[in-house]
Amino acid sequence: MTKGQFKKPVRIQLGRIDRDRFVMGPKDAAEILLREWPLENSPSRTKAMEACLLVIRRHKPPSYSRRYFVAACKEARILLEDT
């Protein structure tokens, strides 16, 4: 496992049915939350963004941001599989 990555990737689908994505860590998650998120004003999105920032700044472990990212994905209905 690369330092700063999730132990298990998060599988999501943002658009087309044939375009699954595997989010490998907090930097990937933050990029998606900032640029591609389907729900603009979502408390779960905001919490996930804050969690990713804490991990990127090395204040929390990657599992912290993963938990909030998965919750936001569930709310947005883009989570395919919590692998």
Side-chain angles (χ1 to χ4, degrees):
M1 177 182 78
T2 306
K3 190 173 182 179
Q5 298 291 311
F6 299 148
K7 286 186 180 180
K8 296 189 285 185
V10 179
R11 186 174 163 216
I12 63 170
Q13 188 175 81
L14 285 167
R16 294 178 43 178
I17 291 173
D18 61 342
R19 301 286 168 125
D20 298 1
R21 289 179 62 183
F22 288 90
V23 182
M24 305 304 286
K27 289 182 182 179
D28 296 337
E31 184 75 25
I32 290 167
L33 288 160
L34 286 170
R35 302 188 191 280
E36 302 179 60
W37 203 249
L39 302 175
E40 286 185 34
N41 297 322
S42 160
S44 294
R45 176 184 179 233
T46 302
K47 285 201 172 255
M49 288 171 47
E50 291 169 353
C52 287
L53 187 57
L54 285 171
V55 174
I56 290 167
R57 290 181 175 166
R58 298 177 187 252
H59 296 293
K60 297 282 185 180
S63 59
Y64 181 80
S65 62
R66 187 183 190 281
R67 178 180 29 194
Y68 285 101
F69 182 67
V70 167
C73 289
K74 286 179 182 177
E75 180 187 69
R77 298 179 183 212
I78 63 168
L79 182 68
L80 288 179
E81 182 180 320
D82 186 10
T83 58

